[in-house]
Amino acid sequence: MERIPILRMGNLLLVTIQVDMHDRLALTLQDDLTTQIERTAAKGVLLDISALDVVDSFIGRIIANLSRMARILDARTVVVGMRPAVAITLVELGLSLQGVETALDVERGMRLLRRPPTPEPLRADHHD
Amino acid sequence: MTTPHTRLADIVKTARQPLLEGWLANLREALGDGRIANAELTHQATDLLNLITAALESGTDIQGDGWTATRQMLEEISRSRAVQGFSWTETAMFVFSLKKALFTEVRRALGSDAEALAEATWQSNVVVDALGMHTIQTFQRSREGIILRQQEELLELSTPVVTLWDGILALPMIGTLDSSRTQVVMESLLQRIVDSGSEVAIIDITGVPTVDTLVAQHLLKTVTAIRLMGADCIISGIRPQIAQTIVHLGIDLRGVTTKASLADALAVAFDRSGLTVVKRHAS
C-alpha cells in the first residue's frame, strides 16, 4: 500500500509529501505519524508540502489536525514550503490553520524548531 | 436585368460624382470643424464609395462575400475613430450621411416611377443601415478592447512588489482595493515571497483612500496566506481616520502587526531579521 515516508533526524521527524494527497493516504499518514512520534519521542515534526499543488478542505483539515495531534504528544509541527496557490485556496476555504507554525523552506523550518518555542501572545486564540 | 439591387447598383455607378459630392457636403455639415483633415475625409469617402459601388453588384446582403472589402474598410475606419476618441454619433454619421445623398440620386434617376422609387429607396436604406450598424459594432468592440487593455495596464501598474532589503519585501498599495485587484496583488506578492525567500512582507496602505469591511477582509486574507506560507506580514501606513473606521466597523486585526508608517514597519522587519541600523560616528 502507498505510504508517505517519515524520516527521523535526531529528535525531529521529516515528512515530505511528494505525491497527490488523497483522503485515504492522509488518514494513513495521520496514523503513522502519531505512532512514530510516540515511538521515537520526537520533539518536532517538519511537514514539507512544497510538492503539494492541490488541496481541498479535507486535506486542509488533516494538516491542521496533524499539528494539533503532534502538540498533544509534545511535538511541535512546522508546515514548510506551502505554495502560493495552496495558501490562497486554504484562505478562500476559510482554513487559516490557527496555531500551526509555518516556514518558507525546510532549512528555515529546521532553524525554527531548534529555537526554543516562543509563546505567541498575538495568536493566542487557538480555536478554528 | 431589373432586379432591385442591380438597379440600385446602376444608379450608384452612373451618379457616382454627384453622390460623392452630396455625401461630402453632408459629412462636412455633420462633423463640423476640421477634426479630420478634409483631404483624408475625401479620400476615405471616395474609397468607400468605390467599394460600395463594386459590392452592390453582388447584392444587398452586406454579410455576403461581395462585401468583404467594404466591411474591412469600415472596420478599419471605425477602429481608427475609436482610437482617436471620436464619439458614437460622429463615427456613425460617417456612414449615415451617405443616406441623404443616395436618396437624392435615387429620386433623380427614378423620378416618376413610384414603385421602383420606393423599392430602390428601401434597398438603399437597408444597405446604409446595415453598413452603419456594422460600423458601430466594430466601434464598440474597439472601445471595449481599449477599456479592457487599460484595465489590465492599471492592474499591472498598481501592484509593484519592491525589495526593501535582503529578505524584506514591500507592497505599496495605491487606490481602492476590490476583489480582482486584491487577487492579483496577493498572487504577485506570494510569488515574490517564494522566489526571493523573503521572510517579512510589508503591505503599505498609505495610498488606499478608504477601508471598509470588504477591503479589510481582503487584507486579512492576504495576511493569512502569507503566514501560511511561512513568512511574516506587517501592515503599515494606517492613517488616523482609517484606524477609527476599522475600530468602528468592529474589524478584528488581532494577530496582525500594524504600524502607522512604513519606517516603523521597516524597523520591525529589521528587528525580526536580526539586523540593526547604526549611525556612523562623525570622525
Side-chain angles (χ1 to χ4, degrees), chain B residues 128-140:
Chain B
V128 176
D129 279 357
L131 289 175
M133 281 308 174
H134 190 71
T135 313
I136 293 176
Q137 246 177 26
T138 322
F139 184 77
Q140 189 191 3

Side-chain angles (χ1 to χ4, degrees), chain A residues 92, chain B residues 155 176-186 214-215 217-218 221:
Chain A
E92 293 297 336
Chain B
L155 273 180
T176 315
L177 291 176
D178 56 20
S179 301
S180 61
R181 266 199 63 194
T182 319
Q183 190 77 16
V184 175
V185 169
M186 207 201 279
L214 206 65
V215 172
Q217 204 197 354
H218 288 319
K221 274 184 183 172

